[in-house]
Amino acid sequence: GQQVMQIPQYQHVQEGEDFTTYCNSSTTLSNIQWYKQRPGGHPVFLIQLVKSGEVKKQKRLTFQFGEAKKNSSLHITATQTTDVGTYFCLINDYKLSFGAGTTVTVRA
Amino acid sequence: ETGVTQTPRHLVMGMTNKKSLKCEQHLGHNAMYWYKQSAKKPLELMFVYSLEERVENNSVPSRFSPECPNSSHLFLHLHTLQPEDSALYLCASSQDLLSGGSTDTQYFGPGTRLTVL
């Protein structure tokens, strides 16, 4: 079935540094969604990408959809302790499928 | 956020018990979902309901039995569970069914932390 691979699984970041998490699919996607789950919390919708090459920003978060619509990235600049949590991507062309998530920890 | 509520928030049960998890959405959505989230594993979609009809059952053991009496409520009935069923069970809803590249989004409840002894 359709799957999405998400890397890295863990990201330990120094406060103030940047990092990127990636989601990759073997098939062309209609759209991709990103969610964030804080420790002890539940997934919360962040953003949706639909167009080829689309780039969307939310403050220090930059989301990108690849030109071929097979991959997506989330880049966070100047990481803060509030960025701690797990970031998931979600695809739904054939079957709902979440990526495994990137769990981010921040050292002050 | 109170759009999707789940009760109880925590549940400890023995393997011979029967219990039920409840989910209620106050968003007027037509689709509801049950997910299982185990440590160090991706979110696993268990069941999907659209307009109170089950549209997806992802090879879930029969010891889990869903029920959707109306579009606002979703239950997960549990019986003779195993310790490996211990996990966070999340309910979610969306305006319409997420499939075929839908641009709809899901709203999650806070989850029920289940421990099976």
Side-chain angles (χ1 to χ4, degrees):
Chain A
Q2 186 183 38
Q3 289 186 329
V4 59
M5 303 301 294
Q6 187 169 0
I7 54 171
Q9 187 175 359
Y10 299 99
Q11 186 79 53
H12 190 52
V13 186
Q14 176 72 44
E15 192 173 17
E17 289 184 343
D18 302 353
F19 76 89
T20 304
T21 173
Y22 301 89
C23 280
N24 300 304
S25 170
S26 58
T27 59
T28 302
L29 303 171
S30 298
N31 64 77
I32 191 164
Q33 299 179 3
W34 286 89
Y35 290 76
K36 177 183 179 182
Q37 184 175 17
R38 295 181 185 276
H42 57 276
V44 175
F45 173 76
L46 290 177
I47 208 144
Q48 179 169 243
L49 303 170
V50 179
K51 299 176 183 176
S52 168
E54 188 170 17
V55 177
K56 288 188 177 180
K57 293 190 176 184
Q58 287 181 351
K59 298 182 180 178
R60 294 176 295 101
L61 277 62
T62 301
F63 302 83
Q64 188 163 1
F65 206 5
E67 293 290 340
K69 299 181 71 174
K70 288 186 176 182
N71 53 67
S72 180
S73 64
L74 160 57
H75 181 78
I76 300 183
T77 58
T79 304
Q80 299 178 0
T81 55
T82 53
D83 296 322
V84 164
T86 302
Y87 295 83
F88 298 95
C89 56
L90 170 68
I91 60 175
N92 68 60
D93 280 65
Y94 300 103
K95 191 173 179 178
L96 274 179
S97 181
F98 271 97
T102 294
T103 298
V104 177
T105 53
V106 179
R107 59 180 182 272
Chain B
E1 296 178 19
T2 57
V4 182
T5 57
Q6 288 186 246
T7 55
R9 294 294 306 276
H10 301 271
L11 178 62
V12 179
M13 59 187 288
M15 289 190 285
T16 58
N17 290 159
K18 287 185 180 181
K19 296 286 184 183
S20 295
L21 309 185
K22 179 183 176 182
C23 175
E24 183 173 1
Q25 57 97 359
H26 312 272
L27 302 168
H29 288 172
N30 296 316
M32 297 186 77
Y33 312 79
W34 278 118
Y35 286 91
K36 176 183 178 183
Q37 188 174 40
S38 305
K40 300 183 180 180
K41 283 188 178 180
L43 278 161
E44 299 172 53
L45 182 63
M46 301 174 72
F47 301 104
V48 181
Y49 277 82
S50 177
L51 297 172
E52 301 150 45
E53 282 193 25
R54 191 190 310 180
V55 296
E56 193 163 338
N57 176 347
N58 288 320
S59 303
V60 179
S62 59
R63 57 186 184 269
F64 295 91
S65 174
E67 179 190 0
C68 186
N70 55 63
S71 59
S72 298
H73 293 86
L74 187 64
F75 294 89
L76 188 62
H77 304 298
L78 318 170
H79 63 97
T80 59
L81 294 192
Q82 303 298 312
E84 59 264 30
D85 296 322
S86 298
L88 180 68
Y89 288 85
L90 289 160
C91 173
S93 71
S94 59
Q95 183 61 58
D96 294 300
L97 185 64
L98 252 72
S99 67
S102 165
T103 56
D104 214 340
T105 58
Q106 290 182 89
Y107 293 80
F108 283 82
T112 295
R113 175 68 62 185
L114 174 67
T115 303
V116 181
L117 302 176

